[in-house]
Amino acid sequence: IRLVTASDGKIQTIAGQISATGGYGGDTGPAAAATLQFPFGLALDTSGNLFIVDQGNNLIREVTPPPTYTITFPAISPVTYGSTSKITLDATVDQTGNPVASYQVDSGPGKASGSTLSILGGGSIVVEADQPGDSNYAAATPPKQTVVVNPASLTVTGPSNFLLYEGNAVPPNIAATMSGFATTDSPLAVLTGSATVVVVDASGVAIPAGTILPAGTYTVKVTQGTLALTQSYAQDYLLNFVNSTLLVSVGQAQTVTIGAFTPPTTYGGPNSSFSFTASASSGLPVTVAFSPGSPVKSQQTTQGWNVTVVGAGMITITATQAGSDKYAPATTTQSFTVNPATLTITPVSVTRA
């Protein structure tokens, strides 16, 4: 009796051998080893028992199916994409206690190799456990388990430790920071576009770049803008937008010093030309200005400033350091007065002859 399997077209003997001497044999033994004489008709009952009309022996022979392997395949806990790349599968054959022969992925972003399931993305992975039959047992009905791979949270946030010192403007193009990528994923491959990051006031209204804010704490609002997941990773991540904080501080104090110099006290007198230096305790560059209308000519050099007094009057020198992202602005002044020169008129003695 030959069986042709419809799914793969394979043929195999499931019962009977031709008896060379007549008669029959093999009862209670393997069906394929039993002797038959002119098998004529077949019937199959609902329990899978096969009945053969052994015409030559005037018998009805019964072939009972072997017991079937059964498999215990425990449920697999959900995982998050990126938290693990592999899962060990642990289905066992009930009759032997041994691991099943093989696994295969029916659907979803996974790949089975031996007893290891590799996770290739987010979604649902259907895994089947297989155990073929042998001389004692028929093949198991393959059980299946579904592995749920939840998308990872990709956090998009404003800059951390965002600090401005008072007097500095809100910068343009504030960049967001992103975290939560799987170690094997490149941000350039996962995302396209960019998030919108703005400083907002207490009412949530965006503050334009270039605005100089008073000292205080402000919200840095992060929204999606044009940021999007690429098609290849759309099922692997969820975007999570988190605001941050901008602190506007009064800044670290600095002092500006004008170096000692001796100015003239009278126009045209000693020290009508002199030099001086100006510096800031921060080490940042200093600018120098003279009060409007000051009767001076000045020139900045690599060592400081050279000044020539060209008239009488009040002269005020103002030295300023404009501040930075760390230091608050600072300024100092120094004034002196140049008195008019005394013009002496001496009469000329005349003698008449």
Side-chain angles (χ1 to χ4, degrees), residues 28 31 34-35 70 183 190 193 286 295 311:
T28 72
T35 55
T70 55
T183 55
V190 173
V286 173

Side-chain angles (χ1 to χ4, degrees), residues 226-262:
T226 60
L227 189 69
L229 296 166
T230 59
Q231 185 175 358
S232 298
Y233 292 90
Q235 73 283 1
D236 301 335
Y237 293 97
L238 291 175
L239 295 177
N240 178 35
F241 297 94
V242 178
N243 295 338
S244 63
T245 300
L246 165 64
L247 174 64
V248 178
S249 172
V250 294
Q252 184 173 331
Q254 61 171 330
T255 57
V256 175
T257 302
I258 296 175
F261 64 91
T262 302

Side-chain angles (χ1 to χ4, degrees), residues 246-343:
L246 165 64
L247 174 64
V248 178
S249 172
V250 294
Q252 184 173 331
Q254 61 171 330
T255 57
V256 175
T257 302
I258 296 175
F261 64 91
T262 302
T265 58
T266 303
Y267 171 66
N271 304 317
S272 289
S273 293
F274 61 91
S275 298
F276 70 93
T277 60
S279 60
S281 60
S282 64
L284 296 172
V286 173
T287 59
V288 168
F290 295 86
S291 54
S294 293
V296 298
K297 291 182 179 180
S298 65
Q299 180 181 15
Q300 185 177 359
T301 70
T302 55
Q303 286 77 37
W305 284 262
N306 295 332
V307 180
T308 299
V309 176
V310 296
M314 172 72 75
I315 298 171
T316 299
I317 302 172
T318 301
T320 302
Q321 207 302 299
S324 68
D325 59 354
K326 183 177 181 181
Y327 290 93
T331 189
T332 189
T333 61
Q334 189 167 332
S335 300
F336 60 93
T337 299
V338 178
N339 296 306
T342 300
L343 186 62

